[in-house]
Structures are given as structure tokens and as C-alpha cells.
Amino acid sequence: MPNDKKSQKIVDIIQNAARKHSLFVLAYGTGCGAIEIPPTMTSKYDAERFGIRGMATPRQADVLLVTGYLATKTLKRVIRAYEQMQDPKYVIGFGSCTINGGMYWDSYNTIKLLDKYIPVDVYINGCMPRPEAVIDGFIELQGLIKDGKANGAEKYKENLDWYRANQKKVIKNWNMPDYNW
Amino acid sequence: MTDIKFEKEQQVVDQLVNTFQNLSGKVKRERRIEVSVSKKLIPSVLSYVKDQLGFTHMSHMSCVDWLEDEHFELIYILWSPELKVQLLIKTLINRENPSIENVDMIWGQLNTYQREIREMFGIQFTGMIGKEEFILEDWDEMPPMRRDFDTAEFIKEAYFERPGRDGAKNVRDEIADRSGEEIPELAKKYSRD
């Protein structure tokens, strides 16, 4: 294959189109959002017609779906799951708790902004978002992937020090392995 | 309301008052008794009501922080399946170095409640076996359920906040202004300043 810019562009287009239609989701069911996943996946809304389906482990998944508030304790597990995921990987913040803390805005133990700790590609607003909104968010993500704009994982790699500093600010006992992608 | 209605409740109170010194109890309402004891008496009162009076079910244990009076109040909530009576045993603990005897040998589930109260209020239970950490992870601040723990100050330092909340409008006043109505005097205390 000739290694010039033009052909790389064509490869990218094909690659992105393929990625767009096979999103394997690791649903990290925190908070109340996990209850919206079954109707999204099952026959009534049937997310699989968009190529969206659940996956059991982080290492096989493409999308990390964070479905609600995150206590600092849970955040530690989310970061660990996120770092184990293979490229390409995307994050969807689900519900207002991940956006601004939601109804837990004054809790002493939950984070308010998810995107300060892991890069979020798409936010789905709502408390909780209905399956239509969830699918809409996924289609938004598919659009970003198609245009090559869903580059959260690259952002994470580039600004790892900044993310680490934020993460270590809330996770005081940092005893996690380092994953190299 | 006649006293005859609370016969079985009064019987329990009498029995407790006659058995223990410095114990005050009263019938709160039908099927509810409140008893206050000193913290030294707690193990003996609990085992007495369990073995002799039939309060075999430990429903809950909770704690109240009386900041102004400078003490904690521990409440053991028991239920008697035979009498169908709820018994609340209350005791006061000093706020300085709060500690009380461990009683999880009487009801095993007390261990869980006591560990939660130890973490959330910082009350030590002498002789209790259980990991120091319960729900919170790596918590090195003041126990968060104490009333002098300033949550608003803490989250300002510990977490990021999405800008926009500061500019939130006073909804009640906005709507009243828009429709030209006046907020009645009695509702004004609920307005934001």
C-alpha cells in the first residue's frame, strides 16, 4: 500500500465507517441509568440495528457508558476499566450526574464533572435519558467517529499528566497498575 | 385516649423501670415505647429486653448529632414479634472522644450498623472487631455525617464545579415578576436571598 496522505485518507474513511457500525458497549451501570440500558438493547428500541451491543469485559469493548453519578470509590474502578480498554475507545457520559453532578451536586463523595477525570466524547442529557435519547447520543457518537472527531482517547494520552493529577486529587490511595496501551 | 389502650406498652415500661435504676421510659403512642438510659447500662438493658421481654428483633440502630448540646444520641430500635411493640432505647454520648461499649454479640447485625456509625460519626465502639473502612474509601477528613463537617466548603475544594450554577435565577421571584404578582408574606421565607 502506498504510504501517502491521499490513500491514508481513504483507509481512514473505510476504517471509521466500519468502526461506526460496530460499537461494543461496556455499560458501567452506576446510579440509576443502568435501568435504561435493557429497554435500549431489547426488542422495543433494539439498539443492535445501529450496531450497538453489549460487551462483557473492558478489553473487548469500544464504548464505555458511564450511566450516572460516580462516587470517588467508583471513579477509581471506572478509570481502571477505561485504561484497560483497547483503542479505539470512546466514552459516553449518561445523565446529568456526569455533566454537573445532577442531584448529587452537594454530595461530599461524588464527582461533579466526569470530563475532568476521563475524556468524554458525547454527553447525553437527562435525568434519566429515555432510550430514544440514548440512541440519539449513540448516533451522535457515530457521526463523530465517521468524521474522525471522536478523539477522546488521543486527548487522554496527550494530556495524561493533567488527567492523572485530577484523578489523584480525589483518589488518595493510588494503588493501581499502569496499563500501556 | 385512655391508659387502658396502652396496657401492654405500660407493662414493659414498668418492668424496665423496676429492673434498672436511672432509667426513664414512657409510652410514646400505641405500639411505641421510648426509653432513655445511661451509656453504661446499654449492654445490660439490651440483653435484658432481648432475653426477658421478647424484643428479639433488632430493626435498626441510628445516631443523631446534637451539636448545640454537645452530645451524640444513639438509638437502638427493637421490635417484639409477640407483643407487636417497637422499643426505642436512647443513650447520650459526649461529643469529646465519643465511645461506647460494643454490643454486637447480642445481635450480629449490630456489627454492620456500628461500623457505619463509626465511619460516619467517628464514634468508637470498644472491643468491636471489624475493618476500619466501611463504605467510604481513603477518607481522611472529619466523619462526614457530623454536623460541623462543612460539606459545601469541602466540595468546593475537593471537586470541580461546572460554571453556570452561580448565575441560577431565583425562580420564584422571576415568575412573580413576569406575571406581575406579589409573593405573599407567609411564603417569603422560602425565597432565596
Side-chain angles (χ1 to χ4, degrees):
Chain A
M1 191 176 69
N3 194 11
D4 57 274
K5 259 188 179 169
K6 240 181 191 172
S7 54
Q8 184 60 43
K9 214 172 171 183
I10 294 161
V11 171
D12 277 351
I13 288 168
I14 297 166
Q15 217 171 31
N16 286 337
R19 280 171 182 172
K20 176 188 152 194
H21 289 296
S22 70
L23 292 175
F24 283 21
V25 180
L26 176 71
Y28 198 92
T30 75
C32 20
I35 205 71
E36 300 291 339
I37 306 303
T40 315
M41 294 297 172
T42 47
S43 53
K44 181 156 187 187
Y45 293 98
D46 195 15
E48 203 162 335
R49 64 206 153 110
F50 301 103
I52 302 158
R53 53 169 300 189
M55 194 32 77
T57 72
R59 286 170 199 241
Q60 294 165 310
D62 302 311
V63 182
L64 176 63
L65 188 59
V66 182
T67 61
Y69 68 89
L70 288 173
T72 51
K73 197 174 175 177
T74 340
L75 178 71
K76 191 171 173 177
R77 277 76 184 169
V78 166
I79 291 166
R80 196 163 169 184
Y82 178 71
E83 293 193 347
Q84 283 183 65
M85 283 165 66
Q86 315 268 337
D87 267 346
K89 55 183 174 181
Y90 316 101
V91 180
I92 292 183
F94 188 106
S96 47
C97 289
T98 53
I99 298 171
N100 58 12
M103 62 188 278
Y104 300 97
W105 64 277
D106 62 348
S107 162
Y108 56 85
N109 203 27
T110 58
I111 58 153
K112 320 299 170 207
L113 267 74
L114 180 60
D115 51 16
K116 297 276 180 191
Y117 305 98
I118 51 174
V120 180
D121 294 299
V122 172
Y123 274 122
I124 303 169
N125 189 23
C127 182
M128 291 309 297
R130 300 252 318 132
E132 297 96 324
V134 178
I135 288 173
D136 191 53
F138 271 105
I139 287 169
E140 174 91 36
L141 178 67
Q142 286 180 337
L144 290 176
I145 293 167
K146 189 185 154 200
D147 300 343
K149 283 178 189 164
N151 51 1
E154 282 148 42
K155 233 165 56 185
Y156 189 69
K157 271 182 229 171
E158 279 164 23
N159 307 313
L160 187 62
D161 293 338
W162 183 79
Y163 281 111
R164 269 284 184 279
N166 286 347
Q167 290 163 358
K168 284 185 179 172
K169 198 178 150 196
V170 287
I171 302 166
K172 277 151 198 160
N173 183 16
W174 186 272
N175 50 2
M176 292 206 276
D178 278 324
Y179 298 100
N180 28 18
W181 304 271
Chain B
M1 241 189 275
T2 52
D3 285 340
I4 297 158
K5 224 178 154 188
F6 305 136
E7 207 173 325
K8 58 179 180 184
E9 290 87 346
Q10 196 58 47
Q11 225 170 4
V12 173
V13 173
D14 290 343
Q15 236 166 331
L16 275 168
V17 170
N18 291 337
T19 317
F20 295 98
Q21 286 182 325
N22 307 325
L23 182 146
S24 63
K26 64 174 179 194
V27 181
K28 200 75 179 159
R29 61 164 170 77
E30 201 187 350
R31 283 180 301 201
R32 181 168 296 176
I33 306 168
E34 255 183 42
V35 172
S36 306
V37 291
S38 67
K39 74 170 186 183
K40 276 181 192 162
L41 271 178
I42 280 290
S44 39
V45 170
L46 284 180
S47 45
Y48 178 77
V49 295
K50 186 187 179 189
D51 297 338
Q52 307 292 327
L53 302 183
F55 287 88
T56 48
H57 178 69
M58 168 87 214
S59 305
H60 193 58
M61 175 185 179
S62 100
C63 180
V64 185
D65 184 359
W66 297 104
L67 183 64
E68 290 80 6
D69 305 338
E70 293 177 351
H71 50 66
F72 291 115
E73 188 173 33
L74 282 183
I75 304 152
Y76 299 82
I77 302 170
L78 313 177
W79 174 256
S80 165
E82 288 155 31
L83 293 172
K84 308 262 186 283
V85 169
Q86 197 176 39
L87 174 65
L88 285 83
I89 299 173
K90 299 183 169 184
T91 184
L92 297 177
I93 313 173
N94 203 331
R95 241 169 153 276
E96 302 271 309
N97 300 321
S99 76
I100 189 169
E101 197 79 21
N102 164 43
V103 282
D104 67 359
M105 63 293 275
I106 304 175
W107 283 281
Q109 65 266 41
L110 267 175
N111 187 272
T112 310
Y113 292 125
Q114 287 180 161
R115 279 177 67 199
E116 186 185 0
I117 287 171
R118 177 168 68 182
E119 187 165 81
M120 292 297 173
F121 291 91
I123 295 171
Q124 292 303 318
F125 293 86
T126 44
M128 180 170 63
I129 298 166
K131 217 180 156 212
E132 191 68 43
E133 216 166 58
F134 182 57
I135 295 170
L136 302 174
E137 205 176 55
D138 309 323
W139 185 263
D140 49 12
E141 306 281 326
M142 180 191 286
M145 283 293 157
R146 286 195 182 194
R147 274 177 59 210
D148 48 356
F149 173 73
D150 194 342
T151 317
E153 200 60 40
F154 175 75
I155 59 167
K156 224 178 257 176
E157 262 178 43
Y159 305 112
F160 301 94
E161 215 164 319
R162 183 148 337 255
R165 274 195 186 278
D166 305 334
K169 282 179 179 165
N170 190 341
V171 179
R172 180 189 292 267
D173 292 349
E174 278 289 313
I175 293 171
D177 275 355
R178 206 183 301 154
S179 56
E181 284 171 25
E182 219 170 275
I183 299 170
E185 201 59 45
L186 61 110
K188 267 188 182 156
K189 63 179 172 188
Y190 301 113
S191 291
R192 266 192 239 169
D193 28 83

